[in-house]
Amino acid sequence: MARQCENRLMDSEANALVECLDDQRQHVIGILEGLTDEALHQPVLPSGWSCLGLVNHLALDVERFWFHQVVAGEGPGFGDGGDSSAWEVPTDVEAEQIFESYRREISRADEVIAATPLDAAPAAWPPFFGDWRLPDLRAVLLHVIAETACHAGHLDAARELIDGRTWLTLT
């Protein structure tokens, strides 16, 4: 689903990056459509994560973390980097709550992206990354595109294991 960023000041490179990210975000949501809450909470792989846990991770540890905390420098600051709670979604939490959280974090991230030049350095950087650093919004966008695409692939495999459905099959 192609979408032009509402900020007319964004150039074609920024729009292309946002469009690519949006495609991956839609893949994440689309591959899970039609699954029951029970199936979405079900761990599929031996590591124990569920599809909802992965979507929650994308909402909190990817969209919120990278765009609000790192790029915009907003939020509570950085923990020690070892908090894995986003991956754990209690069974009494309805799936739609997690999807709504993901959509909300996407919308908030898009606001930060639209207001930030591609070459702007992150406003904050977590100390637990040590010397590793992304230099600007462009690099953050590329990192988030890659991470979201990787996790969309994980969800593809999980969905196929759950009920056999695949997102896109080229033969």
Side-chain angles (χ1 to χ4, degrees):
M1 171 175 90
R3 150 180 95 74
Q4 283 292 98
C5 184
E6 294 172 8
N7 181 348
R8 291 185 183 165
L9 298 177
M10 286 182 62
D11 64 15
S12 61
E13 179 187 8
N15 279 318
L17 290 168
V18 169
E19 184 177 320
C20 183
L21 179 55
D22 278 345
D23 288 345
Q24 296 309 315
R25 291 164 165 168
Q26 289 304 314
H27 184 158
V28 165
I29 294 168
I31 189 59
L32 300 177
E33 285 178 353
L35 286 176
T36 64
D37 274 24
E38 181 181 352
L40 289 163
H41 278 94
Q42 170 190 342
V44 179
L45 300 175
S47 58
W49 60 266
S50 68
C51 294
L52 277 185
L54 198 153
V55 174
N56 200 43
H57 162 70
L58 287 168
L60 304 179
D61 300 335
V62 179
E63 298 284 346
R64 180 186 295 172
F65 174 80
W66 283 108
F67 296 114
H68 271 275
Q69 291 184 271
V70 173
V71 173
E74 300 171 355
F78 303 107
D80 63 7
D83 184 12
S84 63
S85 63
W87 288 89
E88 299 165 11
V89 178
T91 55
D92 63 338
V93 174
E94 293 183 17
E96 189 51 39
Q97 289 177 266
I98 301 301
F99 286 112
E100 183 53 38
S101 170
Y102 186 46
R103 289 183 200 100
R104 188 173 47 253
E105 293 302 332
I106 287 170
S107 178
R108 293 177 67 212
D110 284 348
E111 291 172 7
V112 171
I113 294 165
T116 308
L118 284 178
D119 60 355
W125 196 257
F128 54 80
F129 281 153
D131 292 336
W132 181 73
R133 187 171 181 88
L134 295 174
D136 52 30
L137 173 60
R138 178 182 292 103
V140 170
L141 276 163
L142 290 168
H143 176 80
V144 171
I145 289 166
E147 184 167 359
T148 305
C150 179
H151 286 319
H154 295 141
L155 290 170
D156 281 339
R159 178 65 188 254
E160 190 169 356
L161 288 168
I162 291 169
D163 68 2
R165 180 174 172 233
T166 57
W167 179 251
L168 175 65
T169 305
L170 300 175
T171 57

Coordinates of all heavy atoms in Angstrom, one line a residue, residues 37-114:
D37 N -7.6 -14.9 18.6 CA -6.8 -14.5 19.7 C -6.0 -15.6 20.3 O -4.8 -15.5 20.6 CB -7.7 -13.9 20.8 CG -8.0 -12.4 20.6 OD1 -8.0 -12.0 19.5 OD2 -8.3 -11.8 21.7
E38 N -6.6 -16.8 20.3 CA -5.9 -18.0 20.9 C -4.7 -18.3 20.0 O -3.6 -18.5 20.5 CB -6.8 -19.2 20.9 CG -6.2 -20.4 21.5 CD -7.1 -21.6 21.5 OE1 -8.3 -21.5 21.2 OE2 -6.6 -22.7 21.8
A39 N -4.8 -18.3 18.7 CA -3.7 -18.6 17.8 C -2.6 -17.5 17.9 O -1.4 -17.8 17.8 CB -4.2 -18.7 16.3
L40 N -3.1 -16.3 18.0 CA -2.1 -15.2 18.1 C -1.3 -15.2 19.4 O -0.1 -14.7 19.4 CB -2.8 -13.8 18.0 CG -3.3 -13.5 16.6 CD1 -4.4 -12.4 16.6 CD2 -2.2 -13.2 15.6
H41 N -1.8 -15.8 20.4 CA -1.1 -15.9 21.7 C -0.3 -17.2 21.8 O 0.6 -17.3 22.7 CB -2.1 -15.9 22.9 CG -2.6 -14.6 23.3 ND1 -3.8 -14.0 22.9 CD2 -2.1 -13.7 24.2 CE1 -4.0 -12.9 23.4 NE2 -3.0 -12.7 24.3
Q42 N -0.5 -18.1 20.9 CA 0.1 -19.4 20.9 C 1.6 -19.3 20.5 O 1.9 -18.8 19.5 CB -0.6 -20.3 20.0 CG 0.1 -21.6 19.7 CD -0.6 -22.4 18.5 OE1 -1.7 -22.1 18.2 NE2 0.1 -23.3 18.0
P43 N 2.5 -19.8 21.4 CA 3.9 -19.9 21.0 C 4.0 -20.9 19.9 O 3.4 -22.0 20.0 CB 4.7 -20.3 22.2 CG 3.8 -20.0 23.4 CD 2.4 -20.1 22.8
V44 N 4.8 -20.6 18.8 CA 4.9 -21.5 17.7 C 6.2 -22.2 17.6 O 6.3 -23.4 17.2 CB 4.6 -20.8 16.4 CG1 4.7 -21.7 15.2 CG2 3.2 -20.1 16.4
L45 N 7.3 -21.5 18.0 CA 8.6 -22.0 17.9 C 9.2 -22.3 19.3 O 8.6 -21.8 20.3 CB 9.5 -21.0 17.2 CG 9.1 -20.6 15.8 CD1 10.0 -19.5 15.3 CD2 9.2 -21.8 14.9
P46 N 10.2 -23.2 19.4 CA 10.7 -23.5 20.7 C 11.2 -22.4 21.6 O 11.2 -22.5 22.8 CB 11.9 -24.4 20.3 CG 11.6 -25.0 19.0 CD 10.8 -23.9 18.3
S47 N 11.5 -21.2 21.0 CA 12.0 -20.1 21.7 C 10.8 -19.5 22.6 O 11.0 -18.7 23.5 CB 12.6 -19.0 20.8 OG 11.7 -18.6 19.9
G48 N 9.6 -19.8 22.2 CA 8.4 -19.4 23.0 C 7.7 -18.1 22.7 O 6.8 -17.8 23.3
W49 N 8.2 -17.4 21.7 CA 7.5 -16.1 21.3 C 6.2 -16.5 20.6 O 6.1 -17.4 19.9 CB 8.4 -15.2 20.6 CG 8.9 -15.6 19.3 CD1 10.1 -16.2 19.0 CD2 8.3 -15.5 18.0 NE1 10.3 -16.5 17.7 CE2 9.2 -16.1 17.0 CE3 7.0 -15.1 17.5 CZ2 8.9 -16.2 15.7 CZ3 6.7 -15.1 16.2 CH2 7.6 -15.7 15.3
S50 N 5.2 -15.6 20.7 CA 4.0 -15.7 20.0 C 3.9 -14.6 19.0 O 4.7 -13.6 19.0 CB 2.8 -15.5 21.0 OG 2.8 -14.2 21.5
C51 N 3.0 -14.7 18.1 CA 2.8 -13.7 17.0 C 2.5 -12.3 17.7 O 3.0 -11.3 17.3 CB 1.7 -14.1 16.1 SG 2.1 -15.5 15.1
L52 N 1.6 -12.3 18.7 CA 1.3 -11.1 19.4 C 2.5 -10.5 20.1 O 2.7 -9.3 20.2 CB 0.2 -11.3 20.4 CG -1.2 -11.2 19.9 CD1 -2.2 -11.3 21.1 CD2 -1.5 -10.0 19.1
G53 N 3.4 -11.4 20.7 CA 4.6 -10.9 21.3 C 5.5 -10.2 20.3 O 6.1 -9.2 20.6
L54 N 5.6 -10.8 19.1 CA 6.4 -10.1 18.1 C 5.8 -8.8 17.7 O 6.6 -7.8 17.5 CB 6.6 -11.1 16.9 CG 7.7 -10.7 16.0 CD1 8.3 -11.9 15.3 CD2 7.4 -9.7 15.0
V55 N 4.5 -8.7 17.5 CA 3.9 -7.4 17.1 C 4.1 -6.4 18.3 O 4.4 -5.2 18.0 CB 2.4 -7.6 16.8 CG1 1.7 -6.2 16.5 CG2 2.2 -8.5 15.6
N56 N 4.0 -6.8 19.5 CA 4.2 -5.9 20.6 C 5.6 -5.5 20.7 O 5.9 -4.3 20.9 CB 3.8 -6.6 21.9 CG 3.5 -5.7 23.0 OD1 2.9 -4.6 22.9 ND2 4.0 -6.0 24.2
H57 N 6.6 -6.3 20.4 CA 8.0 -6.0 20.3 C 8.2 -4.9 19.2 O 8.9 -3.9 19.4 CB 8.8 -7.2 19.9 CG 10.2 -6.9 19.4 ND1 11.2 -6.4 20.1 CD2 10.7 -7.1 18.1 CE1 12.3 -6.3 19.4 NE2 12.0 -6.7 18.2
L58 N 7.5 -5.1 18.0 CA 7.6 -4.1 17.0 C 7.1 -2.8 17.4 O 7.6 -1.7 17.1 CB 7.0 -4.6 15.7 CG 7.7 -5.7 14.9 CD1 6.8 -6.3 13.9 CD2 9.0 -5.2 14.3
A59 N 6.0 -2.8 18.1 CA 5.4 -1.5 18.6 C 6.3 -0.8 19.6 O 6.5 0.4 19.4 CB 4.0 -1.8 19.2
L60 N 6.7 -1.5 20.6 CA 7.4 -0.9 21.7 C 8.9 -0.8 21.5 O 9.5 0.3 21.8 CB 7.1 -1.6 23.0 CG 5.6 -1.7 23.4 CD1 5.4 -2.5 24.7 CD2 5.0 -0.4 23.4
D61 N 9.5 -1.9 21.1 CA 11.0 -1.9 21.0 C 11.5 -1.5 19.6 O 12.7 -1.3 19.5 CB 11.5 -3.4 21.2 CG 11.1 -3.9 22.6 OD1 10.9 -3.1 23.5 OD2 11.0 -5.1 22.7
V62 N 10.7 -1.3 18.7 CA 11.1 -0.8 17.3 C 10.5 0.5 17.0 O 11.3 1.5 17.0 CB 10.8 -1.9 16.2 CG1 11.2 -1.4 14.9 CG2 11.4 -3.2 16.6
E63 N 9.2 0.6 16.8 CA 8.6 1.9 16.4 C 8.8 3.0 17.5 O 9.4 4.0 17.3 CB 7.1 1.8 16.1 CG 6.8 0.8 14.9 CD 7.1 1.5 13.6 OE1 7.3 2.7 13.5 OE2 7.1 0.7 12.6
R64 N 8.4 2.7 18.8 CA 8.6 3.6 19.8 C 10.0 3.9 20.2 O 10.4 5.0 20.3 CB 7.8 3.2 21.1 CG 8.0 4.2 22.3 CD 7.4 3.6 23.5 NE 5.9 3.5 23.4 CZ 5.2 2.9 24.3 NH1 5.7 2.4 25.5 NH2 3.9 2.7 24.2
F65 N 10.8 2.8 20.3 CA 12.2 3.0 20.7 C 13.0 3.8 19.7 O 13.6 4.8 20.1 CB 12.8 1.6 20.9 CG 14.3 1.6 21.2 CD1 14.8 1.9 22.5 CD2 15.2 1.4 20.2 CE1 16.1 2.0 22.7 CE2 16.6 1.5 20.4 CZ 17.0 1.8 21.7
W66 N 13.0 3.3 18.5 CA 13.8 4.0 17.5 C 13.4 5.4 17.1 O 14.2 6.3 17.0 CB 14.0 3.1 16.2 CG 14.9 2.0 16.5 CD1 14.6 0.7 16.6 CD2 16.3 2.1 16.6 NE1 15.7 -0.1 16.8 CE2 16.8 0.7 16.9 CE3 17.2 3.1 16.6 CZ2 18.1 0.5 17.1 CZ3 18.6 2.8 16.8 CH2 19.0 1.5 17.1
F67 N 12.1 5.6 17.0 CA 11.7 7.0 16.5 C 11.4 7.9 17.6 O 11.9 9.1 17.6 CB 10.5 6.8 15.6 CG 10.8 6.1 14.3 CD1 10.3 4.9 14.0 CD2 11.8 6.6 13.4 CE1 10.6 4.1 12.9 CE2 12.1 5.9 12.3 CZ 11.5 4.7 12.0
H68 N 10.8 7.5 18.7 CA 10.5 8.5 19.8 C 11.7 8.6 20.7 O 12.1 9.7 21.1 CB 9.2 8.1 20.5 CG 8.0 8.8 19.9 ND1 7.7 10.0 20.2 CD2 7.2 8.3 18.9 CE1 6.6 10.4 19.4 NE2 6.4 9.4 18.6
Q69 N 12.2 7.5 21.2 CA 13.3 7.6 22.1 C 14.6 8.0 21.5 O 15.3 8.8 22.0 CB 13.4 6.3 22.9 CG 12.2 6.0 23.8 CD 12.4 4.8 24.7 OE1 12.1 3.7 24.3 NE2 13.0 5.0 25.8
V70 N 15.0 7.4 20.4 CA 16.3 7.6 19.8 C 16.3 8.9 18.9 O 17.0 9.8 19.2 CB 16.8 6.4 19.1 CG1 18.1 6.7 18.3 CG2 17.1 5.2 20.0
V71 N 15.5 8.9 17.9 CA 15.5 10.0 16.9 C 15.0 11.3 17.6 O 15.7 12.3 17.5 CB 14.6 9.7 15.7 CG1 14.5 10.9 14.8 CG2 15.2 8.5 14.9
A72 N 13.9 11.2 18.3 CA 13.3 12.5 18.9 C 13.8 12.7 20.3 O 13.6 13.9 20.8 CB 11.8 12.4 18.9
G73 N 14.4 11.8 21.0 CA 14.9 12.0 22.3 C 13.8 12.1 23.3 O 14.0 12.7 24.4
E74 N 12.6 11.6 23.1 CA 11.5 11.6 24.0 C 11.3 10.4 24.8 O 11.8 9.3 24.3 CB 10.2 11.9 23.2 CG 10.2 13.2 22.4 CD 9.1 13.3 21.4 OE1 8.3 12.3 21.3 OE2 9.0 14.3 20.7
G75 N 10.6 10.4 25.9 CA 10.3 9.2 26.6 C 11.1 9.1 27.9 O 11.8 10.0 28.3
P76 N 11.0 7.9 28.5 CA 11.5 7.7 29.8 C 13.0 7.5 29.9 O 13.5 7.4 31.0 CB 10.7 6.5 30.3 CG 10.5 5.7 29.0 CD 10.3 6.7 28.0
G77 N 13.7 7.5 28.8 CA 15.1 7.2 28.9 C 15.3 5.7 28.6 O 14.4 5.0 28.2
F78 N 16.5 5.3 28.8 CA 16.9 3.9 28.4 C 17.1 3.0 29.6 O 17.8 3.5 30.5 CB 18.1 3.9 27.5 CG 17.9 4.8 26.3 CD1 18.6 6.0 26.2 CD2 17.1 4.4 25.2 CE1 18.4 6.8 25.0 CE2 16.9 5.2 24.1 CZ 17.6 6.4 24.0
G79 N 16.6 1.8 29.5 CA 16.9 0.9 30.6 C 18.3 0.2 30.3 O 19.1 0.8 29.6
D80 N 18.5 -1.0 30.7 CA 19.7 -1.6 30.5 C 19.8 -2.4 29.2 O 20.8 -3.1 28.9 CB 20.1 -2.6 31.7 CG 19.1 -3.7 31.9 OD1 18.2 -3.9 31.0 OD2 19.2 -4.4 32.9
G81 N 18.7 -2.4 28.5 CA 18.6 -3.1 27.2 C 18.2 -4.6 27.3 O 18.1 -5.3 26.3
G82 N 18.1 -5.1 28.5 CA 17.8 -6.5 28.7 C 16.3 -6.8 29.0 O 16.0 -7.9 29.2
D83 N 15.4 -5.8 28.9 CA 14.0 -6.0 29.2 C 13.4 -6.7 28.0 O 13.3 -6.2 26.9 CB 13.4 -4.7 29.4 CG 11.9 -4.8 29.8 OD1 11.5 -5.9 30.1 OD2 11.2 -3.8 29.8
S84 N 12.9 -7.9 28.2 CA 12.3 -8.7 27.1 C 10.8 -8.7 27.3 O 10.1 -9.5 26.6 CB 12.8 -10.1 27.1 OG 12.5 -10.8 28.3
S85 N 10.2 -7.9 28.2 CA 8.8 -8.0 28.5 C 7.9 -7.7 27.3 O 6.7 -8.2 27.3 CB 8.4 -7.1 29.6 OG 8.7 -5.7 29.3
A86 N 8.3 -7.0 26.3 CA 7.4 -6.7 25.1 C 7.1 -8.0 24.4 O 6.0 -8.1 23.8 CB 8.1 -5.7 24.2
W87 N 7.9 -9.0 24.5 CA 7.7 -10.2 23.8 C 6.7 -11.1 24.5 O 6.2 -12.0 24.0 CB 9.0 -11.0 23.7 CG 10.0 -10.4 22.7 CD1 10.9 -9.5 23.0 CD2 10.1 -10.8 21.4 NE1 11.6 -9.2 21.8 CE2 11.1 -10.0 20.8 CE3 9.4 -11.7 20.5 CZ2 11.5 -10.1 19.5 CZ3 9.8 -11.8 19.2 CH2 10.8 -11.0 18.7
E88 N 6.4 -10.7 25.8 CA 5.5 -11.5 26.6 C 4.1 -10.8 26.7 O 4.0 -9.8 27.4 CB 6.1 -11.8 27.9 CG 7.4 -12.6 27.8 CD 8.2 -12.5 29.1 OE1 7.7 -12.1 30.2 OE2 9.4 -12.9 29.0
V89 N 3.1 -11.3 26.1 CA 1.8 -10.7 26.1 C 0.9 -11.7 26.9 O 0.7 -12.8 26.5 CB 1.2 -10.5 24.7 CG1 -0.2 -9.9 24.8 CG2 2.1 -9.6 23.9
P90 N 0.3 -11.2 28.1 CA -0.5 -12.1 28.9 C -1.8 -12.5 28.0 O -2.2 -11.8 27.2 CB -1.0 -11.2 30.0 CG 0.1 -10.1 30.1 CD 0.6 -9.9 28.7
T91 N -2.2 -13.7 28.3 CA -3.3 -14.3 27.5 C -4.7 -13.5 27.7 O -5.5 -13.6 26.9 CB -3.6 -15.8 27.9 OG1 -3.8 -15.9 29.3 CG2 -2.4 -16.6 27.5
D92 N -4.8 -12.7 28.8 CA -6.0 -11.9 29.0 C -6.0 -10.6 28.2 O -6.9 -9.9 28.2 CB -6.3 -11.6 30.4 CG -5.2 -10.8 31.1 OD1 -4.0 -10.8 30.6 OD2 -5.5 -10.2 32.2
V93 N -4.9 -10.3 27.5 CA -4.8 -9.1 26.7 C -5.3 -9.5 25.3 O -4.8 -10.4 24.7 CB -3.3 -8.6 26.5 CG1 -3.3 -7.5 25.5 CG2 -2.8 -8.2 27.9
E94 N -6.3 -8.8 24.8 CA -6.9 -9.1 23.5 C -6.0 -8.7 22.4 O -5.3 -7.7 22.5 CB -8.3 -8.4 23.4 CG -9.3 -8.9 24.3 CD -10.7 -8.2 24.1 OE1 -10.9 -7.6 23.1 OE2 -11.5 -8.4 25.1
A95 N -6.0 -9.5 21.3 CA -5.2 -9.2 20.2 C -5.4 -7.8 19.7 O -4.4 -7.1 19.3 CB -5.4 -10.2 19.1
E96 N -6.6 -7.3 19.6 CA -6.8 -6.0 19.0 C -6.1 -4.9 19.8 O -5.7 -3.9 19.2 CB -8.3 -5.7 18.9 CG -8.7 -4.5 18.1 CD -8.0 -4.4 16.7 OE1 -7.8 -5.4 16.0 OE2 -7.5 -3.3 16.4
Q97 N -5.9 -5.1 21.1 CA -5.2 -4.1 21.9 C -3.8 -4.0 21.4 O -3.2 -2.9 21.3 CB -5.2 -4.5 23.4 CG -6.5 -4.4 24.1 CD -6.4 -4.9 25.5 OE1 -6.7 -6.0 25.8 NE2 -6.0 -4.0 26.4
I98 N -3.2 -5.1 21.1 CA -1.8 -5.1 20.6 C -1.7 -4.5 19.2 O -0.8 -3.7 18.9 CB -1.2 -6.5 20.6 CG1 -1.2 -7.1 22.1 CG2 0.2 -6.5 20.1 CD1 -0.5 -6.3 23.1
F99 N -2.6 -4.9 18.3 CA -2.6 -4.3 17.0 C -2.9 -2.8 17.0 O -2.3 -2.0 16.3 CB -3.7 -5.0 16.1 CG -3.3 -6.4 15.7 CD1 -3.9 -7.5 16.1 CD2 -2.2 -6.5 14.8 CE1 -3.5 -8.7 15.7 CE2 -1.8 -7.8 14.4 CZ -2.5 -8.9 14.9
E100 N -3.8 -2.3 17.9 CA -4.1 -0.9 18.1 C -2.8 -0.2 18.6 O -2.5 0.9 18.1 CB -5.3 -0.7 19.0 CG -5.6 0.8 19.1 CD -5.8 1.5 17.7 OE1 -6.4 0.9 16.8 OE2 -5.4 2.7 17.6
S101 N -2.1 -0.8 19.5 CA -0.9 -0.2 20.0 C 0.2 -0.1 18.9 O 0.8 1.0 18.8 CB -0.3 -1.1 21.1 OG 1.0 -0.7 21.5
Y102 N 0.3 -1.1 18.1 CA 1.2 -1.1 16.9 C 0.8 0.1 16.0 O 1.7 0.9 15.6 CB 1.2 -2.4 16.2 CG 2.2 -2.6 15.1 CD1 3.5 -2.1 15.3 CD2 1.9 -3.2 13.9 CE1 4.5 -2.3 14.3 CE2 2.8 -3.3 12.9 CZ 4.1 -2.9 13.1 OH 5.0 -3.0 12.1
R103 N -0.5 0.2 15.6 CA -0.9 1.2 14.7 C -0.7 2.6 15.3 O -0.2 3.5 14.6 CB -2.4 1.1 14.4 CG -2.7 -0.1 13.5 CD -4.2 -0.2 13.2 NE -4.6 -1.5 12.7 CZ -5.2 -2.4 13.5 NH1 -5.5 -2.1 14.7 NH2 -5.5 -3.6 13.0
R104 N -0.9 2.8 16.6 CA -0.7 4.0 17.3 C 0.8 4.4 17.3 O 1.2 5.5 17.0 CB -1.2 3.9 18.7 CG -1.2 5.2 19.5 CD -1.9 5.1 20.9 NE -1.5 4.0 21.7 CZ -2.3 2.9 21.9 NH1 -3.5 2.8 21.3 NH2 -1.8 1.9 22.6
E105 N 1.7 3.4 17.6 CA 3.1 3.7 17.5 C 3.6 4.0 16.1 O 4.5 4.8 15.9 CB 3.9 2.5 18.1 CG 3.7 2.3 19.6 CD 4.0 3.6 20.5 OE1 4.9 4.4 20.1 OE2 3.4 3.7 21.6
I106 N 3.0 3.4 15.1 CA 3.3 3.7 13.7 C 3.0 5.1 13.4 O 3.8 5.9 12.9 CB 2.6 2.7 12.8 CG1 3.3 1.3 12.8 CG2 2.6 3.3 11.3 CD1 2.5 0.3 12.1
S107 N 1.8 5.5 13.8 CA 1.4 6.9 13.6 C 2.3 7.9 14.3 O 2.7 8.9 13.7 CB -0.1 7.1 14.1 OG -0.5 8.4 13.9
R108 N 2.6 7.6 15.5 CA 3.5 8.5 16.3 C 4.9 8.6 15.6 O 5.5 9.6 15.5 CB 3.6 8.1 17.7 CG 2.3 8.2 18.5 CD 2.4 7.7 19.9 NE 3.3 8.6 20.7 CZ 4.1 8.1 21.7 NH1 4.1 6.9 22.0 NH2 4.9 8.9 22.3
A109 N 5.4 7.4 15.2 CA 6.7 7.3 14.5 C 6.7 8.1 13.2 O 7.6 8.9 12.9 CB 7.1 5.9 14.2
D110 N 5.6 8.0 12.5 CA 5.4 8.8 11.2 C 5.5 10.3 11.5 O 6.0 11.0 10.7 CB 4.2 8.4 10.5 CG 4.2 7.1 9.8 OD1 5.3 6.5 9.7 OD2 3.2 6.6 9.4
E111 N 5.0 10.7 12.6 CA 5.1 12.2 12.9 C 6.5 12.6 13.2 O 6.9 13.7 12.7 CB 4.2 12.5 14.2 CG 2.8 12.3 14.0 CD 2.0 12.4 15.3 OE1 2.6 12.7 16.4 OE2 0.8 12.2 15.3
V112 N 7.3 11.7 13.9 CA 8.7 12.0 14.1 C 9.4 12.0 12.8 O 10.2 13.0 12.5 CB 9.3 11.0 15.1 CG1 10.8 11.2 15.1 CG2 8.7 11.2 16.4
I113 N 9.2 11.1 11.9 CA 9.9 11.0 10.6 C 9.6 12.2 9.8 O 10.5 12.8 9.2 CB 9.4 9.7 9.9 CG1 9.9 8.4 10.6 CG2 9.9 9.7 8.4 CD1 9.2 7.1 10.2
A114 N 8.3 12.6 9.7 CA 7.9 13.8 8.9 C 8.5 15.1 9.4 O 8.8 16.0 8.6 CB 6.4 13.9 8.9

